Amino acid sequence: MSTVMPFDADATLLPDVTAAVKTAGVTLRDRYTSHARGVSLDEVVGEIHANDDAVLDVLRQPLLRARQGSQWAEDELAGGALPPGEWWVVDPAEGNINHVHGMDDWAVTATLVRDNQPVLTVVHLPLTGDTYTAVAGGGARLNDRPLKVSAKTDLGAALIGTGQAKPGEDERTFRRIGDSVTAMLVNGLVVRVSVPATMQLIHVAAGRMDAFWQFSDVRSGLVAGALLVSEAGGAVTDLAGEPWNTGSRDFLAAAPGVHAAARKVLAPIA
């Protein structure tokens, strides 16, 4: 009797997950304006929560139905390892702050995490219609095109990125971000500091950027990009060089040719 391998079972989910994420993307696109919404902090936070609530209303149940027995990771800003089993780690508005301010760097993401490893992901950009997908063992794709990371081998020629994971992180984390940006400005070619992480990681997976690092462990901003980059041939580790999972304290995703050099620059700061 043949046994269904995890990849086969996960791959069969992809059409339903993609459809659910795209439907949620319509909701988020319909809420988008090209001007900033909200002036006070309370108003901005209110707009962010309204986006999240509207998208989750149409996304949660289709995903839970798609994978019977799966669970829902409630706090999108949480970090650290999840309990054993299968969990949906979702960001209903990845780059929500950009959406609220009338910018176009935002997406809807849904990732199935099994025993703290991402195994399937869909990242949909409603304004362009682009959809990034990956299944563990099956490669990464942009729409129908396979993705491949950069072939660069010289960190001095690299376009590298980082950013804060969430508002209100501790001062030590902010200082490490500042120190690491300085170090990478010295050792790399150009450094991008922006949010959200996923919007930089899709560029790493597509070979448009060469590396991305982050000192925080917010799961929802990393799981989708981690799978896309690794399935596109990249190296995804913590800053000690160990394979990354949701329990890791920090994160580095890079083209193989610059990964070691990037880690050498960042590890002393971590």
Side-chain angles (χ1 to χ4, degrees):
M1 180 182 296
S2 63
T3 301
V4 177
M5 299 300 291
F7 167 73
D8 298 322
D10 294 338
T12 62
L13 296 177
L14 195 57
D16 286 344
V17 176
T18 300
V21 173
K22 286 185 174 181
T23 298
V26 172
T27 297
L28 191 58
R29 185 187 65 207
D30 288 347
R31 297 183 58 83
Y32 176 72
T33 63
S34 58
H35 60 271
R37 307 190 305 280
V39 175
S40 70
L41 177 60
D42 285 346
E43 289 171 342
V44 171
V45 170
E47 292 284 351
I48 287 171
H49 288 323
N51 281 346
D52 283 343
D53 292 343
V55 177
L56 286 173
D57 280 347
V58 299
L59 188 58
R60 185 194 307 259
Q61 290 307 316
L63 292 181
L64 291 172
R65 283 197 303 268
R67 188 62 151 187
Q68 294 298 314
S70 61
Q71 301 174 79
W72 193 268
E74 288 289 343
D75 186 355
E76 71 185 67
L77 294 179
L82 289 160
E86 293 186 335
W87 294 82
W88 288 108
V89 176
V90 169
D91 198 320
E94 171 72 330
N96 209 339
I97 192 70
N98 296 339
H99 184 286
V100 168
H101 284 84
M103 301 178 186
D104 57 9
D105 284 357
W106 48 271
V108 179
T109 79
T111 305
L112 183 64
V113 176
R114 177 181 301 121
D115 296 332
N116 287 300
Q117 294 286 352
V119 296
L120 176 149
T121 195
V122 176
V123 177
H124 180 60
L125 282 57
L127 288 184
T128 65
D130 285 335
T131 305
Y132 294 77
T133 60
V135 177
R141 306 183 74 84
L142 166 55
N143 302 325
D144 294 324
R145 178 172 64 83
L147 294 176
K148 186 173 179 59
V149 296
S150 164
K152 285 183 184 172
T153 58
D154 178 8
L155 188 63
L159 172 56
I160 316 154
T162 192
Q164 70 185 91
K166 60 182 178 180
E169 294 191 86
D170 61 272
E171 184 178 347
R172 182 169 178 266
T173 298
F174 289 146
R175 290 191 180 279
R176 285 192 295 175
I177 293 172
D179 291 344
S180 66
V181 168
T182 299
M184 279 299 193
L185 286 168
V186 172
N187 289 276
L189 179 62
V190 172
V191 178
R192 295 184 66 189
V193 181
S194 65
V195 293
T198 302
M199 298 302 286
Q200 295 198 62
L201 285 164
I202 60 175
H203 292 314
V204 177
R208 306 182 197 108
M209 289 177 60
D210 305 298
F212 174 87
W213 81 94
Q214 188 170 281
F215 290 112
S216 185
D217 63 350
V218 173
R219 290 187 298 259
S220 65
L222 297 176
V223 288
L227 185 59
L228 285 164
V229 172
S230 62
E231 288 298 319
V236 182
T237 69
D238 62 18
L239 292 176
E242 297 298 320
W244 181 85
N245 62 61
T246 57
S248 301
R249 291 186 302 173
D250 41 43
F251 178 90
L252 173 62
V258 301
H259 180 271
R263 193 176 74 81
K264 184 176 180 180
V265 171
L266 295 168
I269 300 167

